[in-house]
Amino acid sequence: MTPQEIVRRRLRSQRIAAGTGFSRPEEVVSWFGAVQAQEFAEAKWALGLRMTAGVTDADVERAFAEGAILRTHVLRPTWHFVAPADIRWMLALTGPRVNAVNASLARKLGVDDAVFAKSNDTLARALAGGKQLTRAELADALRRAGVEISEGVHLSLLVMRAELDGVICSGARRGKQFTYALLDERVPPAPSLSREEARAELVRRYFTSHGPATLRDFAWWSGLTLADARAGVAAVGDRLTAREGTDGATYFMSLEDAPAPEAEEALRTTYLLPAFDEYTVAYRERGALVAPEHAAEAKTRLLDPVVVEGGRAVGTWRKRHAAGRGGVRIEAAPFTPGALNAAAFEAAAARYRAFAAGGPAPG
């Protein structure tokens, strides 16, 4: 399997290639299992990029406000969009790993299990009854309860722990401010999964939505161990196929992950990806994403908003507010002069402007 074949297949599995059929943000999030979302405005476009024409930023914002998609810390210590039906089993699976990553910071700040328990209880009482509060309001509640907050990172650690323990999750935004809500009040009950079942389900989602990918890619994305990756693949092996890459690595993908001949034109389309898109961030090794002639220039820029042609990053892009043209001007920065197809870039930019035109102010 060559790098070109890998990226062509990823365009399809990641549902970036046209004709995916997703019409609601929650469908995209469920397909992936989790979508990185620490940059909220960028993450909204990550969903819009994978949806049918006519969907706007406002549609994604509405889904978020209504709780059809949630934003919480899960997997690596990073915010992700997660579907309500998945949030509990995913937190149970990956939360302990993230807490272990945060353990040294907790010790440094003098936060032990008793402090976390008091903080979780305080936040639960402050939010009870359908309240949705900002971080500043949560901080006030903690201080009134006698929970020490010596610095910003202290508050972040306490709030993240409450997310990972399944106490709180995202509420609707209040203007540009994020709020938090009680998870049990915002999310309907869902069947629980054993650790083995949850691990197998996360492995299946990852390789179906991100394949072709390696075990190390999954371990990086999920924050779980290579042993977990191997066990998960063994549990769902009849739904995956393995191919050897020209780099010597073994790549796993869904058995249904073969690009159809009629999709070749879509695979040659130019796309504007947001920063930290799943197409760029979800793999430990990102060599397939860049042609050799662009490797040096692209090395430190792949997590920026990138321009993708033929499945590979050929430059970066940025947006500026402007009068007319949907209120957004799109500027390109190719990795090498002449690397961009100007007409194809403008078509991709027009698609982004149409999405952004229906949205609220970024935040």
Side-chain angles (χ1 to χ4, degrees):
M1 178 174 286
T2 66
Q4 292 87 344
E5 185 177 4
I6 289 170
V7 294
R8 285 202 304 271
R9 286 176 176 268
R10 285 178 181 172
L11 279 179
R12 292 288 293 170
S13 66
Q14 289 241 355
R15 295 303 195 256
I16 294 173
T20 62
F22 291 140
S23 59
R24 301 193 306 274
E26 57 266 36
E27 294 174 332
V28 184
V29 175
S30 293
W31 173 253
F32 282 102
V35 176
Q36 189 156 330
Q38 80 271 31
E39 296 291 341
F40 186 68
E42 301 284 325
K44 287 190 289 181
W45 172 231
L47 304 187
L49 176 66
R50 293 165 168 90
M51 296 168 66
T52 53
V55 174
T56 68
D57 184 290
D59 296 321
V60 180
E61 186 83 35
R62 187 177 305 110
F64 180 72
E66 294 172 353
I69 56 175
L70 304 168
R71 180 174 178 259
T72 194
H73 280 92
V74 69
L75 307 184
R76 310 176 303 282
T78 306
W79 272 300
H80 285 77
F81 284 141
V82 184
D86 298 324
I87 191 169
R88 288 189 177 91
W89 67 259
M90 201 173 295
L91 284 171
L93 176 65
T94 69
R97 292 282 298 177
V98 181
N99 284 333
V101 171
N102 290 340
S104 61
L105 175 61
R107 288 192 296 270
K108 179 180 178 181
L109 294 174
V111 179
D112 57 17
D113 287 344
V115 174
F116 281 128
K118 183 175 182 179
S119 174
N120 283 358
D121 180 67
T122 299
L123 296 179
R125 286 187 285 106
L127 293 167
K131 298 185 186 71
Q132 297 186 8
L133 302 179
T134 65
R135 285 174 63 89
E137 289 166 340
L138 294 183
D140 288 342
L142 290 168
R143 291 189 181 98
R144 288 195 299 271
V147 179
E148 180 185 359
I149 304 174
S150 59
E151 51 186 302
V153 68
H154 203 151
L155 176 63
S156 295
L157 180 68
L158 297 175
V159 172
M160 187 189 301
R161 179 59 177 261
E163 291 177 293
L164 293 166
D165 287 350
V167 177
I168 65 175
C169 65
S170 58
R173 290 211 292 175
R174 190 189 303 166
K176 293 185 179 182
Q177 293 189 80
F178 291 96
T179 70
Y180 294 84
L182 274 183
L183 189 148
D184 283 343
E185 292 184 351
R186 190 136 171 92
V187 180
S192 60
L193 300 180
S194 69
R195 190 179 192 281
E196 291 72 22
E197 290 171 331
R199 181 176 59 195
E201 179 61 14
L202 193 63
V203 164
R204 184 192 68 79
R205 297 270 190 106
Y206 177 79
F207 287 109
T208 299
S209 61
H210 294 79
T214 68
L215 295 178
R216 290 186 179 277
D217 290 331
F218 171 79
W220 152 252
W221 177 81
S222 66
L224 298 178
T225 66
L226 278 172
D228 282 321
R230 294 187 188 98
V233 166
V236 297
D238 60 340
R239 305 181 69 172
L240 301 175
T241 185
R243 294 273 304 276
E244 294 302 310
T246 55
D247 58 358
T250 300
Y251 289 84
F252 296 89
M253 69 199 84
S254 168
L255 287 170
E256 302 175 357
D257 188 35
E262 61 270 20
E264 286 303 310
E265 182 59 34
L267 297 173
R268 289 192 292 268
T269 302
T270 294
Y271 303 98
L272 303 188
L273 271 60
F276 303 106
D277 190 81
E278 288 293 309
Y279 192 73
T280 55
V281 78
Y283 306 95
R284 185 176 182 87
E285 298 297 333
R286 303 184 179 112
L289 184 60
V290 185
E293 62 269 25
H294 298 148
E297 178 66 20
K299 186 175 182 180
T300 61
R301 298 170 64 185
L302 285 181
L303 300 185
D304 295 337
V306 298
V307 183
V308 169
E309 288 184 356
R312 288 180 145 178
V314 294
T316 61
W317 64 283
R318 62 180 177 177
K319 50 187 175 289
R320 294 183 180 276
H321 293 291
R325 304 185 71 192
V328 179
R329 184 174 74 251
I330 308 297
E331 299 176 349
F335 292 147
T336 57
L340 298 180
N341 179 314
F345 177 83
E346 177 51 36
R351 183 182 176 191
Y352 173 78
R353 284 195 294 268
F355 173 81

